Amino acid sequence: MRKNILVINPFGIGDVLFSTPLVSAIKEQYPDSYVAYICNLKTEEILVTNPAINEVFVFERDVYRNLWKHSKIAAIKKFLGFWGEIKKRKFDIVFDLSLGKEYAFFCWRAGIKDRRGFNYKGRGRFLNNRIFFDGFNDKSVAEYYLDLLPVRRTGQPSRSTNGNTVLATTNEDKAYIDNFLNQSGVKNSDILIGIAPGGGMSFGKEKQGRKRWSAEKFGMLADKIVEGFNAKIILIWGHGEEDLLEKIKSVMKNKVLIVPKTNIREAATLMKKCKFIVSNDGGMLQIAASQGVSTISIYGPTDEKVYGPYPKNEKHVVVVSKIDCRPCYKKFKLPDCEHKKCLEDISVDAVFKEIASLRSQ
């Protein structure tokens, strides 16, 4: 029987990618289903090319806030129009990953009978299939999302056959990256290694540095990779990270390539051409993992068992310090920290050793 199914995730790149195994599993369990997804503007491009998704709705809070400042009537009309479109689709099931009560309330008002999600801090009152939840604590975020699927006759939660995160790229994305590499003199025989030194925006602008290994160490590591593997380094960056790239470039003795401004799918296309990606914990790392690229990631306050590349396998190496206070980011709270030793204690040699081990496989 055909089902109309809605998935909601208003969060960032990593979170949305963690939800794509759920989308794949939904399509596996309901092959004839019509699947739609509500996301924010930044993550829309991740989802519009996903072969398991039929329609993407963008709900950008800032758009409504700004419109409210200029015209409350226009904001209300736009808001009601959005949920009117949702109601027209006559969804049977919603998987609400927002952890709040607002989306579930409007899904109830839109007539969606099966409303699945997490009862976080009592906010699941408008969900009728809810899982008690106090944070992502002991397994991957993707596994928590998969737990929302209906139970099969075997009594076990449904799982996607491949379990990978999904980010499908296009021919246009490939053409853009091919043109950049050709103009940069990169040959097919070159060993290309990507470094994504930014990230951390999920902690907010003031605390983003809590997720970042230092620019100086990234620069020294890049030199060791160039000299040790005769490789070409390319720095992959996101919005607002230009100064970080300049710091790394100023430290390095060797030439480095810097990718031009890219969207998410273009960055994914570039990563797929790399031998491996070195990255902090963040959205860029999850993009790389979605492309099946080997990764070496550096984790500080967050738990790699929860927020690490998914699914966990030998292609993904996580480097952490053995300091007793990590991981300290728990239940969506980041305690104050003066020393940042969880990142500062990780040496360039320690990361390079893991790269050399992965390189030899």
Side-chain angles (χ1 to χ4, degrees):
M1 181 179 176
R2 175 189 163 105
K3 296 280 186 180
N4 291 341
I5 299 173
L6 179 64
V7 180
I8 301 173
N9 190 322
F11 302 122
I13 294 169
D15 247 293
V16 168
L17 284 171
F18 280 138
S19 76
T20 55
L22 169 64
V23 172
S24 299
I26 288 170
K27 207 67 175 181
E28 178 186 278
Q29 189 162 349
Y30 303 104
D32 297 326
S33 62
Y34 181 90
V35 178
Y37 200 116
I38 296 177
C39 64
N40 63 40
L41 184 61
K42 185 176 182 179
T43 58
E44 178 187 15
E45 64 176 290
I46 294 174
L47 302 166
V48 292
T49 55
N50 188 312
I53 295 175
N54 300 95
E55 187 172 13
V56 177
F57 295 93
V58 175
F59 187 87
E60 186 63 48
R61 290 176 183 268
D62 287 344
V63 171
Y64 290 91
R65 290 191 185 106
N66 292 334
L67 188 57
W68 181 266
K69 292 176 184 177
H70 293 91
S71 171
K72 292 179 174 58
I73 293 175
I76 292 169
K77 283 183 176 179
K78 184 176 179 65
F79 183 85
L80 293 177
F82 177 89
W83 286 102
E85 287 299 314
I86 298 298
K87 187 173 183 178
K88 284 180 185 177
R89 300 304 188 277
K90 297 182 179 179
F91 289 108
D92 302 292
I93 307 171
V94 59
F95 293 87
D96 179 8
L97 312 181
S98 70
L99 308 182
K101 59 182 182 294
E102 294 83 2
Y103 283 101
F105 170 76
F106 286 106
C107 286
W108 169 65
R109 292 286 297 168
I112 305 176
K113 296 188 182 302
D114 189 344
R115 302 178 300 280
R116 299 175 174 271
F118 300 102
N119 189 20
Y120 176 62
K121 292 187 175 182
R123 298 171 186 169
R125 68 191 72 146
F126 296 108
L127 301 168
N128 53 8
N129 282 292
R130 52 185 175 261
I131 295 176
F132 173 78
F133 175 84
D134 65 351
F136 301 118
N137 300 316
D138 55 1
K139 59 186 177 182
S140 174
V141 175
E143 291 293 326
Y144 280 93
Y145 290 162
L146 284 163
D147 285 342
L148 293 173
L149 278 163
V151 177
R152 294 186 175 195
R153 292 181 181 179
T154 59
Q156 296 299 318
S158 177
R159 289 291 185 268
S160 174
T161 51
N162 59 43
N164 297 321
T165 54
V166 178
L167 201 177
T169 58
T170 67
N171 291 334
E172 290 77 10
D173 302 324
K174 184 176 183 299
Y176 180 81
I177 294 303
D178 284 346
N179 182 60
F180 160 68
L181 294 175
N182 289 334
Q183 290 186 350
S184 302
V186 176
K187 303 179 180 66
N188 290 334
S189 58
D190 287 336
I191 299 171
L192 191 62
I193 294 172
I195 292 181
M201 284 305 293
S202 60
F203 282 180
K205 191 171 183 179
E206 291 184 359
K207 294 184 178 181
Q208 63 184 6
R210 293 283 300 277
K211 270 192 174 187
R212 293 182 178 181
W213 204 42
S214 74
E216 291 77 15
K217 286 184 176 179
F218 269 119
M220 290 187 285
L221 177 67
D223 277 332
K224 285 180 73 74
I225 293 172
V226 171
E227 294 159 7
F229 303 138
N230 191 27
K232 288 189 174 180
I233 297 291
I234 183 161
L235 299 181
I236 306 169
W237 56 285
H239 177 70
E241 295 175 355
E242 294 89 342
D243 290 346
L244 179 61
L245 304 182
E246 289 303 316
K247 286 181 182 178
I248 294 172
K249 192 176 177 180
S250 70
V251 171
M252 291 184 63
K253 298 177 292 183
N254 294 283
K255 183 180 178 182
V256 63
L257 295 173
I258 298 178
V259 67
K261 187 175 182 180
T262 58
N263 62 34
I264 295 171
R265 293 201 309 267
E266 289 164 351
T269 303
L270 175 63
M271 289 177 175
K272 198 165 187 176
K273 292 179 177 292
C274 293
K275 186 73 175 177
F276 53 82
I277 300 293
V278 185
S279 176
N280 292 315
D281 161 30
M284 286 293 185
L285 172 63
Q286 304 307 334
I287 292 170
S290 74
Q291 301 307 296
V293 182
S294 295
T295 66
I296 299 91
S297 52
I298 301 164
Y299 273 69
T302 53
D303 190 343
E304 67 279 7
K305 296 190 300 296
V306 176
Y307 299 100
Y310 185 84
K312 184 178 179 181
N313 58 48
E314 67 281 354
K315 295 183 71 172
H316 303 300
V317 177
V318 177
V319 185
V320 301
S321 68
K322 295 182 179 180
I323 187 170
D324 291 339
C325 59
R326 81 156 302 275
C328 64
Y329 177 70
K330 296 178 180 178
K331 298 183 180 180
F332 309 113
K333 292 182 180 179
L334 181 69
D336 292 332
C337 178
E338 296 180 357
H339 54 72
K340 206 176 129 178
K341 285 180 68 65
C342 59
L343 287 172
E344 290 177 355
D345 281 2
I346 298 174
S347 69
V348 172
D349 287 341
V351 179
F352 184 76
K353 182 180 178 181
E354 296 294 346
I355 291 172
S357 177
L358 187 63
R359 176 88 167 79
S360 64
Q361 292 179 10

